[in-house]
Amino acid sequence: MFNIGLPIPPGFFITADTYKEYITKTGIIFDIKKFLTNLNVENTEELQERANMIQKLIVMTPVTDSIKEEILEAYDALNTEELTGGKKQDSFVAVRSSATAEDLPEASFAGQQATYLNVRGNEQLMKAVRMCWASLFTARAIYYREKNNFDHMKVLISVVVQKMVNSEEAGIMFSVNPATNKLDEIVIEAVHGLGETAVSGEINPDIYIVDKEEEIIKTRNLKKQRWGLFRSHDGKNIKVNIPEEVDGQQVISDEIVLKLAKYAKQIENHYGKPQDIEWAVEKNKVYIVQSRAVTTLKERTVTEEVFGDAIVRGLTASSGVASGPVKIVLSADDLKKVIDGDIMVAPMTNPDMVMAMKKASAIVTDEGGITSHAAIVSREMMIPCIVGAENATKVLRDGDVVTVDATHGKVVFGKTEITKEKKEIKPKIPTNTKIKLIMDIPELAEEAAKTDADGIGLFRLEMLIAENGIHPAEYIRQNKDEEYANMLANRLKKVGDAFKGKPIWIRTSDVRTDEYRGLRGGDKEPHETDPMIGWHGIRRALDEPRILKAEFLAIKKLHDRGYTNFGVMIPFVINVDEVKKAKEIMREVGLEPCKDAEFGVMIETPASCWIIEDICKEGISFVSFGTNDLTQLTLGIDRNNEKISSLFDEMHPAVLGEILGVVNMCKKYNIESSICGQAGSRPEMAKFLIQIGIDSLSVNRDSIYKISDVVKKAEEENEKKIQEDSQQKLAEASQNVPEMQEPERFA
Ligand code: PEP
Ligand code: MG
């Protein structure tokens, strides 16, 4: 800090090597080792006894002459006239220890080694130095080292001797707000006199919050402090009362607050990490007396922002934080580079990449929105993922070690203390509304069932098809319809086993022509100008009915094996005729729609919303809102286009209006209404849907607890409203009742 021009009180260091030299040359190293062998640190008494013996040994053993000479020479150099106000005298110094393992991010040893203030004179100084060294062997320090597997003899200690700042005001400051984890705020705490009272918490300090960017004071929280600790002439710390007229006023001026904030920024930049800094003011001059990393940030949760400048920014597709080396995946050839724990960075992911994605600790893509392939898969696999990062594949290089803070949509250089943060999945809390899951990968079904979800509201076949490697159309070209059906049934069985007795809605395939070219036979897919609104979903299924039939057959096979809880739904419907034809094909495999198996329609085109009454009349078991496509088509926002992703909003009144209309119509026809688009995992959407009386929701696995909480509260509100309404009606009705006349005979 001195070297970057910060105002540090003058001083000198007694290096860790000096300590080593001391214990070696005096030979006490052997005694220390002896005291530490066969020590059971869990035995408090024994630990304390040995600690005392070692410390006594160090304090009682004089240093060698050469070391002493050097230390006193350095001390003498501090005793200049200028520094001690006119005449040469021994300076008051602070003697602090600094262990080599102190303040490592992994283990905060801070505060375990001693600090001696107001030390004056050669003898006192030499004693303070030995006491600092001895503090390496307090019972607590020994215990910590044992528990954290530090070699006692490898942890050294250096001592800092610095001229005491005889402070009129002092305190601590943080280059980030440790209370809120806001990175753009500096928090300064100030007390009268020495800073000890602020550090120890004896006095409630003034708190100033400064906007880091703008360098303006945002808030001043002033306190009545009543007294402060000041240094007397003989070097004792004494309590001094703060005069009434000053107490409660700002301890330090705005000018000093802002100066301190500037230093905090400088120090944070210097160390590249948020800092916890001690400062002092003497005769209006600011001194920085200590700085260390804010270690409490390591206790951060997934919701707290990782510190550092973003080198890449994008959208949160799947929240969480992970660090690791970057692997850029530009082609299928690059996939083999990805090993466990890597950060996979690609222009976009596609279904061929799922195996590699499973290994990655985080995924970053240049393209895509929150309903893109990478987003869907990473959410399901619970891997942190950022999409739409635009230039990630260009900015990042193979081997760069980075931290992906997907929760905040940013990538920073370097590893973060928590290299991997396992998302804790809390199960659903009971609700009246059914809450189901969205799933794509059968192997995760068992794990997913632990959430107590009420079933699966959307199981997409596409991921399963991709992993299998053969395009559905190819199966048909090869006349292997049955093989396709068997493949599906075998894989889906796992889901059936995990969700016994609960509804599982399988969506018939919705394969867009551009996404599955990598599969066998995929090269025969047509090229379309806009595959998003092209030949996919039910329109394609009816053009290639054997694919659809094979998929229905898979459901039939599952039913035959006793898994009668499997239902189906068809995607991208725009006409009643599509519904009618799909039902006919289902009958061909021996399943009566709505009777043998639930049969539903995805509501994901505005057309389907407009014709909902006719769809209901045709006869279906349920509808499910595919809000990803419904929003895309209603708003005219390509869901994969990161340029316009900020406009992609499922809460747009147009989308909500469509949903409301459909839910109301379904109520009229007694048809279950549900949602399976990503929006179901948004609390505000869940609340809206409960308010309008939807029957069930489907969410991502990691959102189920939160959404169930939202649902429960919304249900309670609904209930309350119903009660209030009926009370209101009762009150209104009672007003119209004429005053009861006393029957005459009792008069
Ligand atoms: C949707 O469109 O909301 C949906 C669930 O289907 P997909 O994301 O597979 O298009
Ligand atoms: Mg869709």
Side-chain angles (χ1 to χ4, degrees):
M1 288 194 282
F2 178 77
N3 286 337
I4 60 165
L6 286 162
I8 307 301
F12 61 92
F13 288 85
I14 301 165
T15 62
D17 277 339
T18 310
Y19 160 76
K20 204 164 151 192
E21 188 184 322
Y22 163 72
I23 54 168
T24 326
K25 282 211 173 142
T26 55
I28 59 172
I29 185 167
F30 301 106
D31 301 298
I32 297 174
K33 276 187 187 162
K34 217 163 60 202
F35 287 133
L36 291 170
T37 28
N38 296 329
L39 167 64
N40 172 13
V41 291
E42 297 300 345
N43 181 336
T44 319
E45 241 167 78
E46 185 186 333
L47 173 65
Q48 193 59 56
E49 197 183 324
R50 304 266 188 110
N52 289 348
M53 287 197 285
I54 299 174
Q55 289 183 74
K56 216 162 168 186
L57 180 70
I58 296 176
V59 176
M60 305 302 283
T61 309
V63 301
T64 60
D65 284 347
S66 65
I67 295 175
K68 186 173 173 180
E69 226 167 82
E70 242 185 297
I71 293 174
L72 294 182
E73 203 177 298
Y75 179 50
D76 194 50
L78 283 185
N79 299 332
T80 62
E81 283 139 53
E82 188 213 2
L83 290 167
T84 47
K87 61 183 192 327
K88 185 155 170 125
Q89 58 176 31
D90 286 342
S91 284
F92 281 109
V93 286
V95 183
R96 301 170 187 272
S97 35
S98 171
T100 50
E102 190 178 347
D103 300 343
L104 289 183
E106 296 77 24
S108 174
F109 283 5
Q112 292 198 17
Q113 276 81 42
T115 289
Y116 299 93
L117 302 175
N118 298 327
V119 174
R120 182 154 69 168
N122 294 354
E123 203 182 316
Q124 266 198 31
L125 172 62
M126 291 316 297
K127 193 170 161 206
V129 170
R130 285 200 306 276
M131 275 160 60
C132 279
W133 287 340
S135 72
L136 198 52
F137 294 96
T138 60
R140 218 169 109 203
I142 296 172
Y143 184 86
Y144 259 77
R145 282 196 296 270
E146 285 284 333
K147 288 289 155 188
N148 289 294
N149 285 326
F150 284 104
D151 181 340
H152 292 290
M153 289 304 143
K154 288 211 172 115
V155 177
L156 302 177
I157 188 161
S158 97
V159 177
V160 186
V161 180
Q162 256 179 313
K163 191 190 162 289
M164 273 303 286
V165 180
N166 192 5
S167 60
E168 287 116 29
E169 296 93 24
I172 29 187
M173 61 179 168
F174 299 91
S175 67
V176 295
N177 190 334
T180 59
N181 284 296
K182 279 195 180 150
L183 303 182
D184 56 358
E185 287 180 352
I186 294 167
V187 178
I188 300 172
E189 299 184 357
V191 293
H192 293 286
L194 303 174
E196 272 76 349
T197 53
V199 178
S200 66
E202 259 176 291
I203 282 182
N204 260 344
D206 276 8
I207 299 176
Y208 307 88
I209 296 181
V210 179
D211 183 304
K212 204 186 251 175
E213 199 61 43
E214 306 277 325
E215 296 191 12
I216 48 168
I217 303 173
K218 284 166 79 172
T219 58
R220 299 172 182 81
N221 188 352
L222 311 181
K223 304 273 169 54
K224 276 213 181 277
Q225 305 188 354
R226 296 201 320 278
W227 58 274
L229 211 55
F230 287 82
R231 197 175 73 208
S232 68
H233 294 299
D234 57 355
K236 294 242 161 61
N237 291 343
I238 48 165
K239 279 186 182 183
V240 174
N241 288 334
I242 308 296
E244 264 297 322
E245 63 273 20
V246 185
D247 205 11
Q249 313 248 341
Q250 271 186 228
V251 171
I252 47 174
S253 66
D254 282 359
E255 194 191 335
I256 290 191
V257 171
L258 293 175
K259 191 180 265 182
L260 283 168
K262 237 187 202 19
Y263 291 146
K265 265 169 85 167
Q266 223 178 324
I267 299 170
E268 181 184 272
N269 279 340
H270 179 58
Y271 291 112
K273 276 198 167 106
Q275 296 289 304
D276 166 350
I277 301 157
E278 286 179 34
W279 57 270
V281 176
E282 181 180 357
K283 298 194 179 78
N284 239 4
K285 185 168 167 33
V286 175
Y287 292 96
I288 301 297
V289 292
Q290 181 168 305
S291 184
R292 61 176 181 232
V294 181
T295 47
T296 50
L297 284 190
K298 96 177 198 207
E299 286 154 20
R300 51 176 300 291
T301 66
V302 254
T303 53
E304 292 161 18
E305 187 167 345
V306 162
F307 175 75
D309 289 333
I311 35 173
V312 163
R313 273 194 187 280
L315 305 167
T316 304
S318 171
S319 62
V321 180
S323 300
V326 166
K327 293 289 165 66
I328 307 277
V329 176
L330 299 176
S331 66
D333 270 355
D334 291 334
L335 286 172
K336 54 182 178 296
K337 288 197 297 196
V338 181
I339 57 167
D340 279 347
D342 282 347
I343 306 291
M344 180 167 161
V345 181
M348 185 54 229
T349 63
N350 63 50
D352 309 341
M353 297 185 179
V354 172
M355 296 311 279
M357 290 168 80
K358 276 184 184 166
K359 294 184 197 154
S361 63
I363 296 165
V364 182
T365 68
D366 290 345
E367 299 156 20
I370 55 158
T371 64
S372 61
H373 178 267
I376 288 170
V377 176
S378 59
R379 269 195 295 270
E380 176 147 6
M381 301 201 282
M382 294 200 301
I383 298 169
C385 174
I386 294 176
V387 294
E390 296 190 37
N391 55 3
T393 53
K394 292 185 187 73
V395 176
L396 301 172
R397 305 230 173 281
D398 263 352
D400 282 351
V401 173
V402 298
T403 297
V404 177
D405 178 353
T407 313
H408 298 92
K410 72 179 198 181
V411 181
V412 301
F413 272 127
K415 215 170 155 154
T416 302
E417 285 87 334
I418 16 89
T419 47
K420 220 178 193 170
E421 198 153 10
K422 238 188 140 34
K423 276 198 213 171
E424 196 202 346
I425 302 296
K426 284 211 238 169
K428 150 182 196 298
I429 52 179
T431 51
N432 295 333
T433 313
K434 285 192 219 108
I435 305 184
K436 310 175 196 177
L437 293 178
I438 299 171
M439 287 209 70
D440 301 78
I441 302 169
E443 285 66 33
L444 296 176
E446 208 183 305
E447 197 57 35
K450 292 183 189 158
T451 58
D452 297 336
D454 297 311
I456 309 269
L458 164 64
F459 194 98
R460 292 187 180 89
L461 292 182
E462 295 76 51
M463 221 62 74
L464 201 155
I465 290 168
E467 277 193 83
N468 180 58
I470 306 169
H471 201 287
E474 186 63 18
Y475 273 110
I476 307 304
R477 276 193 290 270
Q478 310 248 343
N479 291 320
K480 290 181 175 160
D481 310 37
E482 178 116 11
E483 209 172 287
Y484 177 48
N486 285 335
M487 184 278 290
L488 294 176
N490 289 338
R491 294 289 304 279
L492 291 174
K493 194 180 146 299
K494 276 207 181 73
V495 187
D497 288 333
F499 287 87
K500 281 207 176 81
K502 293 180 175 176
I504 302 170
W505 292 343
I506 305 296
R507 181 180 71 186
T508 59
S509 61
D510 193 3
V511 176
R512 295 179 190 93
T513 51
D514 59 335
E515 282 181 292
Y516 299 86
R517 283 184 200 288
L519 302 185
R520 197 192 312 163
D523 54 335
K524 301 203 175 62
E525 288 291 279
H527 288 270
E528 300 182 281
T529 41
D530 196 346
M532 236 343 156
I533 47 173
W535 195 46
H536 71 89
I538 194 63
R539 58 186 70 161
R540 175 175 186 161
L542 293 174
D543 281 349
E544 295 185 313
R546 282 168 63 190
I547 298 180
L548 184 62
K549 192 170 168 180
E551 290 166 1
F552 285 141
L553 184 60
I555 305 297
K556 170 77 167 107
K557 283 173 187 278
L558 285 162
H559 274 246
D560 290 347
R561 287 198 232 167
Y563 298 94
T564 50
N565 49 334
F566 276 88
V568 276
M569 58 181 176
I570 54 173
F572 231 64
V573 167
I574 57 168
N575 286 315
V576 181
D577 212 34
E578 292 164 340
V579 181
K580 194 179 286 186
K581 282 187 175 141
K583 284 167 75 178
E584 273 158 26
I585 293 171
M586 189 161 159
R587 285 187 191 104
E588 285 174 25
V589 302
L591 279 178
E592 181 55 37
C594 309
K595 194 163 154 262
D596 298 332
E598 285 192 290
F599 176 91
V601 165
M602 281 189 74
I603 300 298
E604 50 182 352
T605 66
S608 62
C609 298
W610 285 100
I611 59 161
I612 185 62
E613 181 148 27
D614 291 334
I615 293 177
C616 290
K617 280 183 185 159
E618 167 54 38
I620 54 174
S621 314
F622 64 89
V623 299
S624 184
F625 295 105
T627 44
N628 306 340
D629 278 314
L630 186 60
T631 307
Q632 160 171 263
L633 298 174
T634 303
L635 305 185
I637 300 289
D638 179 346
R639 63 192 255 191
N640 278 348
N641 187 340
E642 65 280 355
K643 280 263 180 298
I644 46 176
S645 62
S646 61
L647 293 171
F648 186 93
D649 183 13
E650 300 106 327
M651 296 304 288
H652 190 288
V655 180
L656 297 186
E658 287 169 333
I659 292 175
L660 178 64
V662 172
V663 168
N664 284 341
M665 192 58 75
C666 287
K667 278 196 212 302
K668 181 172 162 192
Y669 285 88
N670 217 358
I671 286 165
E672 178 173 350
S673 55
S674 194
I675 180 173
C676 64
Q678 183 51 32
S681 300
R682 282 181 70 174
E684 58 273 51
M685 178 60 94
K687 188 172 172 192
F688 168 77
L689 293 172
I690 299 305
Q691 280 167 346
I692 65 169
I694 202 163
D695 298 309
S696 63
L697 307 177
S698 328
V699 299
N700 300 124
R701 181 158 52 127
D702 61 350
S703 315
I704 195 158
Y705 171 78
K706 189 163 170 198
I707 295 299
S708 63
D709 189 43
V710 170
V711 167
K712 177 130 204 102
K713 289 194 178 112
E715 283 175 349
E716 281 164 6
E717 269 170 40
N718 276 0
E719 195 59 42
K720 212 168 114 201
K721 205 166 170 310
I722 291 169
Q723 267 176 19
E724 278 168 5
D725 283 355
S726 71
Q727 267 163 4
Q728 174 78 15
K729 281 202 186 101
L730 208 67
E732 278 166 15
S734 70
Q735 271 184 359
N736 301 329
V737 175
E739 203 66 43
M740 186 106 67
Q741 295 283 317
E742 287 234 7
E744 224 155 74
R745 60 191 154 109
F746 295 120

